[in-house]
Amino acid sequence: MTRNGITMPDALFTEGRLVGEQVENSIRTIGGLTGIFEDEEALKRLPQEALAYEVASLLPVGEGTSGGLYFGVTRIHPWMVGDEYMMTKGHFHANADRAEFYWGIDGEGLLLLMDENRKCWAERVFPGSLHYIPGRVAHRMVNTGNEIFSFGACWSSDAGHDYASIATHGFSARVKQVNGKPQLIKTE
Ligand code: PAN
Ligand code: ZN
């Protein structure tokens, strides 16, 4: 705190990047994404230590605190895994009714959504697009472009992440490249 009561901001969100002393950075490598793509052999052929996606987050309160908010920026690199595009693991929230905002920053992609009845749909994501993800809806981002696809996220600090159900059952649709274009293909 300065003498006149005016402080510096919590972080900077500039040129598509979230930076600052309090910002936490996490990464997912290609090798850490086993079990989410259809073609596991294609995943094994890629460099296992290479970056698949990275998340910079501002988590101002402890995980699980009610009433707090988290802010994150995810950058997905443009790998292809067979005919599937690189994507996040995807999850429901552990506190199932917690909603979230996503918005497009750079590049292009699809937001894959699935409700608790396993009904799947997708929204186009591009710089400036804004997406409200209701509670009880699983969400995964897919980089359908040739460059880094980045997006912002804002979610409740007591939302938590339930990765297990997606790890076990997956989504009921996949985004594949068909004739050079992304297509949502139902798998059940
Ligand atoms: C996001 C995601 C982030 C990475 O912050 O956690 O984009 O995706 P996965 O968590 O699915 O690997 C969010 O949805 N938070 O709730
Ligand atoms: Zn989420």
Side-chain angles (χ1 to χ4, degrees), residues 53 55 74 88-91 93 100 102 139 151 153 155 161 163:
Y53 60 93
V55 187
T74 303
T88 59
K89 291 179 102 169
H91 56 268
H93 288 152
E100 182 160 5
Y102 273 1
H139 38 289
F151 62 94
W155 69 103
H161 296 95
Y163 291 106

Side-chain angles (χ1 to χ4, degrees), residues 37 76-80 83-89 102 107-113 122-125 139-145 147 149-151 171 173-177 182-184:
F37 295 97
I76 308 179
H77 294 249
W79 299 98
M80 292 300 297
D83 57 3
E84 273 186 283
Y85 302 91
M86 183 47 67
M87 59 192 182
T88 59
K89 291 179 102 169
Y102 273 1
E108 57 184 292
L110 287 178
L111 168 57
L112 186 60
L113 298 160
E123 296 178 5
R124 279 184 179 283
V125 186
H139 38 289
R140 159 179 283 169
M141 283 290 227
V142 185
N143 184 352
T144 57
E147 52 183 333
F149 169 47
S150 75
F151 62 94
F171 281 70
R174 292 185 176 277
V175 181
K176 291 189 175 181
Q177 189 177 57
Q183 203 168 303
L184 185 65

Side-chain angles (χ1 to χ4, degrees), residues 89-160:
K89 291 179 102 169
H91 56 268
F92 287 97
H93 288 152
N95 215 342
D97 68 358
R98 297 303 191 258
E100 182 160 5
F101 275 116
Y102 273 1
W103 61 96
I105 296 172
D106 276 320
E108 57 184 292
L110 287 178
L111 168 57
L112 186 60
L113 298 160
M114 181 177 74
D115 70 16
E116 288 179 320
N117 298 317
R118 303 191 58 74
K119 179 178 163 267
C120 236
W121 69 103
E123 296 178 5
R124 279 184 179 283
V125 186
F126 48 86
S129 68
L130 181 62
H131 309 266
Y132 178 70
I133 302 164
R136 305 187 184 283
V137 172
H139 38 289
R140 159 179 283 169
M141 283 290 227
V142 185
N143 184 352
T144 57
N146 301 317
E147 52 183 333
I148 285 183
F149 169 47
S150 75
F151 62 94
C154 183
W155 69 103
S156 303
S157 50
D158 65 353

